[in-house]
Amino acid sequence: MADSLDSLDNRSADRRLQVETHGLDVIGDAERKGTPRTLFWPWFGANVSILGLSYGAFALGFGISFWQALAAGVIGIVFSFLLCGFIAVAGKRGSAPTMVLSRATYGVRGNRLPSVISWVLTVGWETVLTALATMATATVFGRLGWGGGTETKVVALIVVGALIVVGGVMGFDLIMRLQTVITVVTAVLTVVYIALVADHIHWHTVSAVPAGSAQEFIGALVFMMTGFGLGWVNAAADYSRYLPRASSSRGVIGWTTFGASVAPLLLLVFGLLLAGSSGDLSKAIAVDPIGALTTILPTWFLVPFAVVAVLGLVGGAVLDIYSSGLALLSAGLRVPRYLAALVDGVLMIAGSVYIVFFTDNFLGQFIGFLTTLGVPVAAWCGIMLADLALRRRDYDEGDLFRPHGRYGDVPLRPLLLTLVATVLGWGLVTNSAASWLDWQGYLLDPFGLGGKTGAWAYANLGVLVALALGFLGTLALDRSRVRVQERQDMSPTASEEVVSA
């Protein structure tokens, strides 16, 4: 923690806490500070949410045993956050936001397509986290007899939304300070929560949960990937871009992966034990993932629980709204970064109102959202990783903003590869709990996988297929293109305004 605090103190010495003026521009050498170790704090703070406990019930909901769910969780969480670590290296090498660095593959204007997808994903995530924090607050107030109805939800939504929007609008410096505080407070209170409810675990009940099929195991694995690391890959370079260019790439990968994974892994284990011990609790979590966890708490700890729940969710949502604002700018909106974050905040609150007041099937809609957007994001991730692996030199920062530079304007090959991977991916996933997504799974029958009601219907192979196709397709097709780009001399650095020239 000392490294993080020292880094923040150094930043404070240089300038007061104020609204960040950086948008899509490259971070100058004078502002690139810290070490890879400082990445632990924002990633840990964003993923220490008590929501991690609920993933135990989500995983068991696939019809698998404790050991299968544990294996799916460990592999899915660590592997997906390792992808974030690799993409975070791009931020150190290019000192620009993730969805600007993506232009090296997709072209300056061609990159607007993945930017829009990234924007929708991050706005969706911040909306879900805000809604969960609101519902958890209302549940706690209801148990305390302080109300818990519409009025409480409205006030909670306003307070939670305001915290998230302020953090997103203020930007990097405030987020780094908030995440350090959130990390410490939520970590301590989460340990207390675990100690208080440990007597609700019954190993004989957990161990008696029957094992599921290989297809059900794969479905849980993919869900873990989309629920954790694949929900962050499109923002993974947004914080490493402030590190000095000479920072260790291995350190960036390691601290990003470790910081993001350690809390979800510990929470998942305990969540599996709790959900496996009580079928009623597991079903309640599907309706109110955070609030259901209060039903096994003593009354005196309800207020501290509300604090840990809200802070943990806010920690994730603040990173999301910051990155969603950057993605919106990369998609072509010509406003200052803080106004983009404010626009996203308005959409976030509107979406939260729908979830809190008008829907009663949270889990089904949540899985549908993650899986549907997980397919094109996985395709983008595979393409981005392969492009990064092919490069031997740092990005040309100036040409990231020039439509006629080395990276091109709208190169068709990566766009077509993304489209093909997405079409194939959507044909191999299903979302029966979300009626608006019943069109998916159209390739399961032609490929001999049993159709939409067969054994492979809920394995969600489409996410893995999109990831692999994007990665392998780029390695096979773009090697010569990258070599041509890297043979050119570096150009003068440009700002984001060049895009519209």
Side-chain angles (χ1 to χ4, degrees):
M1 183 171 180
D3 286 340
S4 177
L5 294 177
D6 288 345
S7 175
L8 294 176
D9 287 341
N10 289 337
R11 294 182 195 279
S12 299
D14 293 338
R15 59 181 185 273
R16 295 175 300 172
L17 188 64
Q18 57 188 340
V19 174
E20 181 186 0
T21 57
H22 288 300
L24 302 185
D25 50 315
V26 173
I27 305 302
D29 290 338
E31 295 183 83
R32 292 203 288 260
K33 300 178 180 179
T35 65
R37 187 176 300 178
T38 60
L39 292 174
F40 173 86
W41 299 103
W43 285 109
F44 185 92
N47 291 283
V48 72
S49 167
I50 205 80
L51 178 62
L53 291 172
S54 300
Y55 273 84
F58 299 161
L60 292 176
F62 282 84
I64 56 179
S65 68
F66 168 82
W67 293 111
Q68 287 178 311
L70 180 60
V74 171
I75 297 171
I77 290 170
V78 174
F79 176 70
S80 62
F81 278 126
L82 183 61
L83 301 181
C84 291
F86 286 128
I87 291 180
V89 172
K92 185 265 296 189
R93 290 172 63 177
S95 303
T98 313
M99 298 315 298
V100 170
L101 299 171
S102 179
R103 292 173 177 173
T105 304
Y106 284 89
V108 175
R109 287 191 175 94
N111 190 63
R112 289 177 179 176
L113 174 61
S115 294
V116 169
I117 296 171
S118 173
W119 174 69
V120 173
L121 178 65
T122 46
V123 170
W125 260 114
E126 68 203 44
T127 300
V128 167
L129 296 177
T130 302
L132 288 176
T134 301
M135 292 189 291
T137 303
T139 300
V140 168
F141 273 56
R143 280 202 61 196
L144 290 171
W146 298 348
T150 302
E151 295 83 1
T152 302
K153 292 177 181 177
V154 169
V155 173
L157 180 57
I158 292 173
V159 173
V160 170
L163 285 173
I164 296 169
V165 172
V166 167
V169 168
M170 290 296 293
F172 181 83
D173 280 350
L174 178 59
I175 288 173
M176 292 295 285
R177 300 184 192 194
L178 279 176
Q179 294 298 71
T180 304
V181 174
I182 288 173
T183 295
V184 175
V185 174
T186 53
V188 171
L189 292 179
T190 299
V191 170
V192 176
Y193 175 89
I194 290 174
L196 289 174
V197 302
D199 60 345
H200 288 269
I201 294 174
H202 308 292
W203 176 246
H204 64 280
T205 304
V206 176
S207 60
V209 176
S213 65
Q215 295 91 334
E216 290 167 331
F217 171 81
I218 294 173
L221 170 65
V222 173
F223 175 72
M224 287 295 174
M225 290 176 58
T226 56
F228 287 98
L230 281 180
W232 287 107
V233 288
N234 56 313
D238 292 354
Y239 304 94
S240 55
R241 65 181 176 137
Y242 278 89
L243 291 176
R245 197 183 304 277
S247 299
S248 165
S249 295
R250 188 173 299 177
V252 170
I253 296 169
W255 284 108
T256 298
T257 306
F258 177 66
S261 299
V262 62
L265 287 173
L266 296 173
L267 291 169
L268 173 69
V269 172
F270 199 75
L272 286 170
L273 293 172
L274 282 177
S277 299
S278 172
D280 290 338
L281 177 63
S282 188
K283 292 177 182 176
I285 288 173
V287 178
D288 185 359
I290 303 296
L293 298 172
T294 68
T295 59
I296 54 178
L297 277 176
T299 303
W300 66 267
F301 192 70
L302 288 177
V303 171
F305 175 85
V307 172
V308 67
V310 170
L311 283 181
L313 295 167
V314 166
V318 165
L319 261 66
D320 275 319
I321 195 172
Y322 179 77
S323 293
S324 70
L326 293 174
L328 187 57
L329 296 180
S330 184
L333 184 66
R334 308 292 298 173
V335 298
R337 183 207 58 81
Y338 60 87
L339 286 183
L342 190 60
V343 169
D344 289 348
V346 173
L347 295 174
M348 173 192 76
I349 292 174
S352 300
V353 168
Y354 171 75
I355 294 176
V356 172
F357 297 103
F358 298 103
T359 185
D360 57 358
N361 180 21
F362 169 81
L363 183 56
Q365 306 297 328
F366 182 51
I367 293 177
F369 164 74
L370 289 181
T371 305
T372 301
L373 286 184
V375 170
V377 168
W380 170 88
C381 181
I383 292 171
M384 182 74 175
L385 287 171
D387 180 82
L388 184 62
L390 290 172
R391 296 188 182 279
R392 299 293 179 265
R393 300 175 61 187
D394 289 341
Y395 295 97
D396 185 303
E397 297 168 352
D399 278 353
L400 289 171
F401 299 93
R402 295 189 184 96
H404 302 294
R406 73 187 66 200
Y407 301 124
D409 192 10
V410 187
L412 292 180
R413 192 155 51 201
L415 292 171
L416 290 175
L417 183 57
T418 303
L419 179 61
V420 171
T422 300
V423 170
L424 288 175
W426 279 341
L428 296 172
V429 300
T430 58
N431 291 286
S432 60
S435 59
W436 53 285
L437 296 173
D438 58 7
W439 53 271
Q440 295 176 349
Y442 44 80
L443 294 178
L444 290 170
D445 190 43
F447 284 10
L449 297 174
K452 296 183 181 181
T453 58
W456 289 98
Y458 302 104
N460 290 326
L461 290 175
V463 175
L464 300 178
V465 168
L467 178 65
L469 185 58
F471 183 78
L472 296 175
T474 302
L475 285 183
L477 299 174
D478 273 11
R479 189 177 303 272
S480 60
R481 175 172 174 258
V482 171
R483 292 293 171 264
V484 170
Q485 292 175 355
E486 295 196 328
R487 280 198 292 266
Q488 300 178 41
D489 294 333
M490 288 290 185
S491 62
T493 301
S495 67
E496 60 191 278
E497 283 72 24
V498 179
V499 177
S500 62

